[in-house]
Amino acid sequence: MSNKIMAIVSYISIVGWLIAFFGTQNQSRSELLKLHLKQSLGLAIVGIFFVTGLNMISYAVPFLSFLKFLDLAFLALTVLGILNAIQQKMEKLPLIGNLFEGKFDFIK
């Protein structure tokens, strides 16, 4: 599959990321694919911790359960990442994209 398709697939859950990562391991990855692999992995990691934290807070303090709507921010970032991959843009995700600068050196 093309690097563009794999960049799109990388945003579709951890399974999609694994398919994109291991499916392109024996071929050269474009800079587009490398960027989106890093961004989607970082988004997944931050999302897991953020959503878990929000769930613990809303369980401990039921009054704050309205904060669970912040989960939608990660959905919005995922859609934005997919749109950037479709348009073959080399843009980082807003708010959290710079957190992954220089990280995930195993993606080459």
Side-chain angles (χ1 to χ4, degrees):
M1 282 194 213
S2 72
N3 283 317
K4 176 183 173 183
I5 301 269
M6 289 301 193
I8 296 166
V9 169
S10 71
Y11 284 98
I12 304 171
S13 79
I14 294 295
V15 173
W17 188 90
L18 290 170
I19 290 169
F21 181 74
F22 289 112
T24 59
Q25 196 167 19
N26 294 332
Q27 54 186 310
S28 65
R29 293 183 178 126
S30 67
E31 292 300 315
L32 176 81
L33 179 57
K34 289 180 200 176
L35 173 82
H36 287 289
L37 280 171
K38 290 177 181 181
Q39 293 291 300
S40 60
L41 179 61
L43 178 63
I45 291 170
V46 170
I48 288 168
F49 284 113
F50 188 79
V51 170
T52 302
L54 282 177
N55 285 336
M56 289 191 310
I57 289 171
S58 65
Y59 180 74
V61 185
F63 176 76
L64 297 176
S65 63
F66 69 91
L67 292 176
K68 288 180 129 184
F69 287 109
L70 294 176
D71 294 350
L72 295 176
F74 286 94
L75 176 62
L77 288 174
T78 300
V79 170
L80 184 61
I82 290 172
L83 290 174
N84 285 340
I86 289 171
Q87 298 171 358
Q88 297 183 0
K89 291 184 180 177
M90 297 282 294
E91 293 183 13
K92 297 176 187 165
L93 295 172
L95 302 175
I96 63 171
N98 288 329
L99 294 175
F100 319 123
E101 190 72 33
K103 306 290 191 280
F104 311 127
D105 292 331
F106 62 93
I107 300 174
K108 297 179 183 174

